[in-house]
Amino acid sequence: MKFLHDLLEKQKPLFEKGGKLEKLYYVFEAGETFMFTPPDVTKSKGVQVRDAVDLKRVMFTVVIALLPAIIFGIWNVGYQHSIATQDPETASFVSQFLFGLKLALPLIIVSYAAGGAVESAFAVFRNHPITEGFLVTGILIPLVVPASLPLWQVGLASAFAVLIAKEVFGGVGMNILNVALTARAFLYFAYPAQISGDKVWIELGEGLSTVDGYTGATFLGLAVEAQNTGTAVADFVANNAHWVQSPAELAMTSFIGLIPGSIGETSALMCLIGALVLIWTRVADYRIIVSGILGALAMGVLLNVLAPEGATYLQMPAYYHLIVGGFAFGIVFMATDPVSASQTNTGKWIYGAFIGVMTVIIRVLNPAYPEGIMLAILLMNVLAPLIDHYVVNANKKRRLKRATV
Amino acid sequence: MRLKQGFDINLVGKATESIAKNVDAPKKYALKPEDFPGMIRPKAVVKVGAKVKAGDPILIDGKLDSIKYTSPVSGEIVEIQRGERRKLLAVVVQADGQNEYKEFPVKPVDQISADEAKEVMLESGVWPLLVRRPYAIVADPSDQPRAIFVSAFDSHPLAPNYEFTLKGQESYIQVGIDVLKKFASKVYVGQNGAKPSQIFDGIVGVEKNKFTGPHPAGNVGVQIHHTAPIANVNDVVWTISPEGLAQIGKLFKDGKYDAKRVVAVAGPKADQPEYVETYVGGCVDTIAAAKIKGDNVRVVSGNILTGSKITKDGFLGFYSNMVTALEEGNKSRFFLSDGWLAPITNRLSFHKAFGLLGSTKKEYALDTNTNGQDRPFAVTGAFEKVVPMDIYPMYLLKAILAYDYENMEALGIYEVAEEDLALCEFIDVSKHDIQSIVRQGLDTMRLD
């Protein structure tokens, strides 16, 4: 790779102080350091060797952990399409995957391009290096939207999120809210028609219509209806959704993720694999994931106990909350974002548990909004510094107590 | 006490327990003010050409001139190195090879008063071996320490084994402890719980505590935290290394300032790593000639976590007990072959992030590349895993950077020294200079 390195070195004077493209130095530098880890060595005093990991590798680990969800999600777009339309064109695995890829890839590219442009612009204006945070955000955004979302909307959301959720706070490491979720929230409130309801989750393709009686509603949408009609949730979903045949296979189908939903969110199994990667590599904190799951289960069970007769959604077995909707994806990939989550270990237990509890409350008790994980995480993002404040204060008090001298 | 947090960095090049035969004694020795972080106005008290004996003062701190920093060997002052704005960098002595010592009174320890002992220690040059906390600077003679702490083992990467370097010096160490007990009612010794100690098992008059676990279990600051923590700014304790104890013992038993030190020469670039006999501040040129291979090499005075880079004819630091030789990592790495995206097994990481498939147990030949660039703090919870203290390192560091005095105090600045957070600097994915931030915090608190 010497020729590439030499080529970059040759261009460097153009971007350095006094060069023609001086202003774009950090854009050039980002490209160069992406290709080649710089030859920087440790300073003369202090640690003489450094850990092999840097922020780039940490961020890319998250992308690796996301791969199962990405690949499965892309295929599932094609699979859902073929169930809905029984389109023989997309019946084979490969063609289903390609169908999904045709929709998802532009979303991914637009998300990276729009967010990356805002990020680079700020680096140029503020004269600071481009950081790696967007490596993850850029892929998370297309995964939490339906495949049918117009490209301009994802571009706008991505730019909005980087600008409002990150750069105005000072950039990577300073943001209060999870950037990808901010993009999703922006879409939800700005363009609700394209990201909610039962029309958006299945991409039909031009000129195709659904099979008779098909409904593209998600599990959570159907659960609300089940409660309205007073039938048990599992029975109602099995009777009304095309992606499942009987109540018996409902849990497994949902767990595997063969259900309509946002591109990357449907499969709890893939999120579980991602969670194991993140925990094993110590990139995400298991405390948030575990306490989130426990919180959701506890709240689910509590609702079961309190449920009045006929309130079938409240009576739904608590574990369903873990495998339907975006809960698994949210708790694994969004809640564990180290910047916007609680930073202390005790804080992480509390933070995760509240996300679990809030998700179930919003889902079950708020009929206007079927999914709860996004709002729960954003709410807890805002409260995380407060939780940490009390945890750190407790530490300070412990410290003062020892002051017997 | 069993400490769970921490991390052992296993490096290639551990010193075998023998004294190298092929290393000549260095000709030059130096005292460097930068080895003493609390020193405010360093001043050379000798001129070039002056003749000195071992134990003659050559350097003082103009702000605290009762403490004498003395020549480790007898010889002639050959150089007073200065940097920008005439900042004093080093006072260099050329050894005459005679090893003449300035004589100090010898008296049974039980017949010496605390004041007498203090005076001899201040005059002879052993005083700077005492480090005070809070602040981790040379002890102030006017302080009344609550206790004195000694860590009887060094858990740093490739650190020397005191059982070997201090063999046969048990009686000096005992005298050293007896002398220090005149200043503080309690002397605590932190021992390695995993191994019995020939040197310290027989020492009396101290409270012994055993510590096991990965580095920094051997750091005296960590041991203080778990035995009798520092409560506030007025709660002064002193710390000293086992070598320091032996040196004080020799002063009171033999009447001389004996700065001899057995140091480990270790690291991936050390040729047949073993131990070398030298004196405090010795030039490493002979060590480099005999024991360090290669050209693109960094010589470190001290260990790889807290040491300082020196040249191949640089001088050993005052507190250093080892020389580490590493390859300089001054080359670019392509991201797919051996850079940030490549699956690699030849570099060590605490994080195990993707692609780093190496085990933390095997020995690594690490180089000095930073493996990344300075970034904002974006990963949380990792520092807590390597600091075995009830402290939130990232909050403390942020308080330091914000000059938030109240929070620095409440979050534990008085309990830490640079070395206690050195592992944070190693594992930090955002590549901050954490130890210099800690020093900045300590200086801020001390000087304001």
Side-chain angles (χ1 to χ4, degrees):
Chain A
M1 284 302 128
K2 198 175 172 316
F3 76 96
L4 196 61
H5 189 243
D6 291 347
L7 187 76
L8 284 167
E9 284 299 304
K10 226 175 169 179
Q11 307 304 320
K12 209 171 186 174
L14 265 178
F15 296 92
E16 280 170 338
K17 228 177 165 71
K20 265 189 195 159
L21 301 170
E22 185 189 333
K23 278 208 165 326
L24 295 177
Y25 175 73
Y26 282 113
V27 178
F28 173 79
E29 194 239 30
E32 192 186 24
T33 55
F34 182 90
M35 302 288 282
F36 294 94
T37 312
D40 301 354
V41 292
T42 51
K43 298 205 172 128
S44 63
K45 227 173 147 54
V47 164
Q48 308 286 319
V49 297
R50 292 279 197 159
D51 193 294
V53 160
D54 66 345
L55 205 52
K56 279 191 181 69
R57 197 176 269 269
V58 170
M59 292 299 175
F60 203 75
T61 309
V62 183
V63 177
I64 298 283
L66 279 165
L67 277 181
I70 296 172
I71 294 168
F72 179 89
I74 288 175
W75 168 75
N76 189 45
V77 170
Y79 174 71
Q80 293 301 327
H81 166 83
S82 48
I83 307 183
T85 59
Q86 288 184 338
D87 175 11
E89 293 275 304
T90 56
S92 80
F93 178 86
V94 174
S95 52
Q96 283 169 347
F97 183 83
L98 288 177
F99 182 88
L101 192 66
K102 209 168 70 188
L103 290 167
L105 197 60
L107 287 176
I108 295 172
I109 293 170
V110 168
S111 159
Y112 269 117
V118 175
E119 181 112 14
S120 307
F122 268 83
V124 170
F125 297 145
R126 288 217 195 114
N127 213 21
H128 68 65
I130 298 173
T131 51
E132 292 77 13
F134 197 69
L135 213 55
V136 173
T137 317
I139 187 75
L140 282 177
I141 293 172
L143 291 183
V144 294
V145 299
S148 60
L149 194 74
L151 288 179
W152 64 270
Q153 284 186 9
V154 82
L156 200 59
S158 171
F160 173 87
V162 172
L163 186 73
I164 299 298
K166 188 157 81 179
E167 294 300 344
V168 293
F169 288 106
V172 171
M174 330 274 182
N175 47 307
I176 296 170
L177 299 177
N178 181 303
V179 184
L181 271 183
T182 308
R184 160 96 188 233
F186 168 80
L187 288 170
Y188 181 77
F189 291 112
Y191 307 105
Q194 280 80 17
I195 201 168
S196 54
D198 56 8
K199 302 279 180 284
V200 303
W201 306 108
I202 313 290
E203 176 65 26
L204 297 177
E206 249 170 72
L208 288 171
S209 55
T210 58
V211 292
D212 278 349
Y214 183 86
T215 160
T218 61
F219 182 100
L220 294 169
L222 293 169
V224 176
E225 276 185 54
Q227 168 130 321
N228 295 340
T229 56
T231 10
V233 172
D235 293 337
F236 187 85
V237 173
N239 287 335
N240 288 284
H242 278 69
W243 42 268
V244 65
Q245 307 305 324
S246 70
E249 62 186 40
L250 180 61
M252 192 42 88
T253 311
S254 306
F255 175 69
I256 294 170
L258 301 170
I259 56 178
S262 297
I263 298 173
E265 281 186 347
T266 60
S267 175
L269 175 64
M270 298 302 145
C271 296
L272 187 65
I273 296 170
L276 293 178
V277 172
L278 290 178
I279 291 169
W280 183 75
T281 55
R282 299 187 186 172
V283 168
D285 204 298
Y286 71 91
R287 293 176 184 85
I288 295 174
I289 301 175
V290 172
S291 64
I293 291 171
L294 293 178
L297 283 178
M299 194 63 216
V301 169
L302 185 69
L303 290 179
N304 290 168
V305 173
L306 299 178
E309 193 133 330
T312 56
Y313 200 179
L314 273 70
Q315 291 161 349
M316 183 182 83
Y319 68 88
Y320 272 109
H321 285 294
L322 310 180
I323 53 180
V324 300
F327 179 81
F329 191 85
I331 203 74
V332 173
F333 295 108
M334 300 288 195
T336 55
D337 164 22
V339 176
S340 55
S342 264
Q343 309 199 347
T344 55
N345 286 346
T346 316
K348 282 169 182 163
W349 285 112
I350 301 169
Y351 170 84
F354 268 102
I355 289 177
V357 169
M358 295 293 302
T359 303
V360 175
I361 290 179
I362 298 171
R363 275 180 179 180
V364 179
L365 301 180
N366 172 8
Y369 189 58
E371 177 58 295
I373 184 81
M374 174 185 89
L375 284 183
I377 294 175
L378 285 175
L379 180 67
M380 292 313 291
N381 280 170
V382 177
L383 293 180
L386 189 70
I387 298 172
D388 284 335
H389 173 80
Y390 283 109
V391 173
V392 173
N393 259 8
N395 171 281
K396 290 180 190 167
K397 282 202 186 116
R398 264 203 306 281
R399 193 172 294 293
L400 270 180
K401 255 193 198 156
R402 300 184 312 192
T404 47
V405 182
Chain B
M1 228 159 292
R2 175 155 213 99
L3 305 178
K4 279 193 221 128
Q5 297 96 328
F7 186 55
D8 281 324
I9 299 172
N10 291 319
L11 281 191
V12 171
K14 193 170 171 43
T16 53
E17 289 183 2
S18 56
I19 303 284
K21 301 268 187 303
N22 61 341
V23 178
D24 298 331
K27 294 274 185 303
K28 287 182 180 174
Y29 297 83
L31 285 192
K32 297 175 283 186
E34 68 162 28
D35 287 345
F36 311 100
M39 201 179 251
I40 293 173
R41 247 186 321 172
K43 232 164 93 179
V45 290
V46 281
K47 294 218 156 60
V48 171
K51 297 263 190 279
V52 289
K53 287 180 182 171
D56 272 334
I58 57 174
L59 176 73
I60 57 161
D61 178 359
K63 268 277 194 198
L64 202 62
D65 57 5
S66 56
I67 307 169
K68 307 285 190 283
Y69 297 79
T70 62
S71 176
V73 291
S74 65
E76 186 186 334
I77 304 294
V78 287
E79 199 187 351
I80 291 173
Q81 292 177 358
R82 292 187 184 276
E84 272 176 43
R85 302 215 284 183
R86 293 191 44 77
K87 185 184 168 195
L88 183 61
L89 297 181
V91 182
V92 184
V93 188
Q94 171 105 34
D96 56 14
Q98 310 293 317
N99 270 357
E100 280 182 69
Y101 293 95
K102 182 176 175 180
E103 281 177 29
F104 295 96
V106 178
K107 258 209 242 177
V109 176
D110 51 4
Q111 289 172 26
I112 313 172
S113 70
D115 285 342
E116 270 179 279
K118 189 181 281 184
E119 200 178 317
V120 176
M121 287 170 70
L122 287 167
E123 277 304 313
S124 62
V126 297
W127 189 267
L129 293 163
L130 287 167
V131 173
R132 71 159 268 173
R133 296 227 184 173
Y135 307 138
I137 53 172
V138 170
D140 185 331
S142 61
D143 279 338
Q144 191 66 52
R146 184 240 306 166
I148 294 171
F149 288 85
V150 184
S151 170
F153 66 109
D154 190 339
S155 57
H156 283 101
L158 302 174
N161 179 5
Y162 293 142
E163 298 298 310
F164 176 72
T165 60
L166 294 171
K167 206 171 185 177
Q169 300 198 28
E170 295 86 344
S171 60
Y172 290 125
I173 290 173
Q174 183 66 60
V175 172
I177 282 171
D178 295 342
V179 171
L180 290 184
K181 285 197 76 176
K182 294 180 186 304
F183 303 111
S185 53
K186 276 220 134 171
V187 175
Y188 295 92
V189 172
Q191 286 188 270
N192 187 349
K195 274 186 205 150
S197 164
Q198 301 278 334
I199 312 262
F200 279 91
D201 279 350
I203 296 291
V204 293
V206 296
E207 183 181 314
K208 294 176 192 168
N209 295 297
K210 296 211 185 285
F211 293 89
T212 48
H215 179 69
N219 274 12
V220 71
V222 171
Q223 296 175 0
I224 297 171
H225 182 88
H226 288 281
T227 24
I230 295 167
N232 56 46
V233 65
N234 299 315
D235 182 17
V236 176
V237 303
W238 289 350
T239 70
I240 188 165
S241 67
E243 290 115 342
L245 284 177
Q247 240 177 295
I248 294 173
K250 285 176 191 167
L251 175 69
F252 285 89
K253 221 173 161 195
D254 302 344
K256 59 187 188 183
Y257 173 63
D258 185 347
K260 185 183 272 183
R261 201 170 274 179
V262 176
V263 300
V265 181
K269 284 283 158 187
D271 193 17
Q272 292 178 329
E274 56 185 335
Y275 289 82
V276 167
E277 268 185 347
T278 179
Y279 289 82
V280 167
C283 181
V284 297
D285 54 354
T286 52
I287 294 175
K291 286 262 152 230
I292 293 176
K293 54 192 176 189
D295 289 327
N296 195 24
V297 170
R298 175 178 296 197
V299 183
V300 178
S301 163
N303 62 69
I304 53 146
L305 286 178
T306 62
S308 303
K309 170 183 167 181
I310 53 173
T311 55
K312 276 186 176 174
D313 56 355
F315 299 96
L316 210 57
F318 185 81
Y319 300 101
S320 293
N321 55 12
M322 68 181 300
V323 175
T324 316
L326 296 165
E327 179 159 344
E328 281 286 10
N330 48 359
K331 56 176 191 290
S332 301
R333 296 187 174 121
F334 184 57
F335 78 117
L336 287 176
S337 60
D338 55 354
W340 66 273
L341 198 47
I344 45 177
T345 53
N346 62 348
R347 267 176 278 150
L348 174 67
S349 176
F350 172 75
H351 302 272
K352 294 189 195 166
F354 158 70
L356 284 167
L357 307 167
S359 133
T360 51
K361 298 277 178 280
K362 78 172 194 190
E363 291 180 345
Y364 288 86
L366 301 181
D367 64 26
T368 62
N369 194 287
T370 52
N371 299 318
Q373 297 164 297
D374 204 357
R375 291 287 184 263
F377 286 120
V379 171
T380 60
F383 290 174
E384 284 79 3
K385 290 181 192 151
V386 293
V387 179
M389 292 176 158
D390 185 17
I391 276 178
Y392 286 106
M394 197 176 284
Y395 282 85
L396 175 60
L397 294 168
K398 286 183 175 174
I400 294 171
L401 291 171
Y403 290 93
D404 181 347
Y405 294 83
E406 216 170 284
N407 263 324
M408 274 194 256
E409 200 167 352
L411 290 165
I413 185 94
Y414 298 135
E415 295 204 53
V416 298
E418 293 99 310
E419 59 173 11
D420 300 324
L421 265 59
L423 273 173
C424 297
E425 185 168 312
F426 173 77
I427 67 160
D428 184 16
V429 298
S430 306
K431 313 290 173 187
H432 290 282
D433 294 323
I434 284 164
Q435 293 184 84
S436 74
I437 299 175
V438 172
R439 176 46 62 191
Q440 179 196 324
L442 292 169
D443 285 347
T444 310
M445 294 308 273
R446 183 165 61 93
L447 301 173
D448 277 289

